[in-house]
Amino acid sequence: QKEVEQNSGPLSVPEGAIASLNCTYSDRGSQSFFWYRQYSGKSPELIMFIYSNGDKEDGRFTAQLNKASQYVSLLIRDSQPSDSATYLCAVRRTNAGKSTFGDGTTLTVKP
Amino acid sequence: GAVVSQHPSRVICKSGTSVKIECRSLDFQATTMFWYRQFPKKSLMLMATSNEGSKATYEQGVEKDKFLINHASLTLSTLTVTSAHPEDSSFYICSARDDQGRGQPQHFGDGTRLSIL
């Protein structure tokens, strides 16, 4: 079992819809959770991070964390074609530790 | 926002050449930086963790003598691919962890595309 699991996709949604990306992790001691976006041929870009149970909203993005169930999700509202990318989930146990990345979910938003 | 500068962005060189890649955090201090490589359509592979003022920690299977890492200051880490061969061709990406930023997130450089002929 991988430490951080993501559905590889591709996930396809129509423009304007809500895209839901999920990530599960195995280390119960994980404290910090990050979502990155990576366009093809580019390096990852941090979208947001969360470390408390519940929801965290930033513009069209909402991260949801449930430590008891060991999952973190990213919702993208009003999806745009420019949101088409691979989304990476990263999990870290402590601030001093290294992040473990999932393999990413490829999202395609169709006009 | 936080910026990590990685240079060069692209290198094409002959087999046997050593290639040095620089990673700089421009507006924050980074005691810890990370070096990754990524093959097309594949996931990030952590190569090593670079710590300012001390030796880097390499992941299993990564040759430390092949991939030399130096982290001489709180804003600069370098990766040198020694005597590069075609199989070393890849996309190398550095990442710096913001010591003071909320949540201490990692920020990525733009990557270096290395092609060994």
Side-chain angles (χ1 to χ4, degrees), chain A residues 5-6 20-24 33-37 44-50 61-65 71-75 86-91 101 104-105:
Chain A
E5 297 246 24
Q6 293 182 255
S20 177
L21 305 159
N22 299 313
C23 171
T24 58
F33 308 86
F34 305 85
W35 281 101
Y36 290 84
R37 176 176 62 200
E45 171 192 10
L46 179 67
I47 297 176
M48 59 192 309
F49 66 90
I50 186 169
F61 299 97
T62 299
Q64 298 176 318
L65 175 61
Y71 84 77
V72 56
S73 62
L74 180 70
L75 301 179
T86 296
Y87 289 81
L88 302 171
C89 169
V91 172
F101 284 81
T105 298

Side-chain angles (χ1 to χ4, degrees), chain A residues 32 34 36 38 41-44 46 49 51 56 88 92 95-99 101-103, chain B residues 34 36 38 43-44 46 49 59 91 93 97 102-111 113:
Chain A
S32 303
F34 305 85
Y36 290 84
Q38 186 175 23
K42 303 293 184 182
S43 64
L46 179 67
F49 66 90
Y51 44 81
K56 180 180 178 182
L88 302 171
R92 195 169 74 201
N95 281 344
K98 61 185 179 184
S99 295
F101 284 81
D103 290 342
Chain B
F34 304 90
Y36 298 84
Q38 188 176 37
S43 57
L44 288 171
L46 179 65
T49 302
E59 295 300 302
F91 189 42
I93 314 173
R97 188 167 67 211
R102 191 168 178 225
Q104 294 191 5
Q106 283 179 233
H107 299 283
F108 286 85
D110 287 340
R113 200 162 299 280

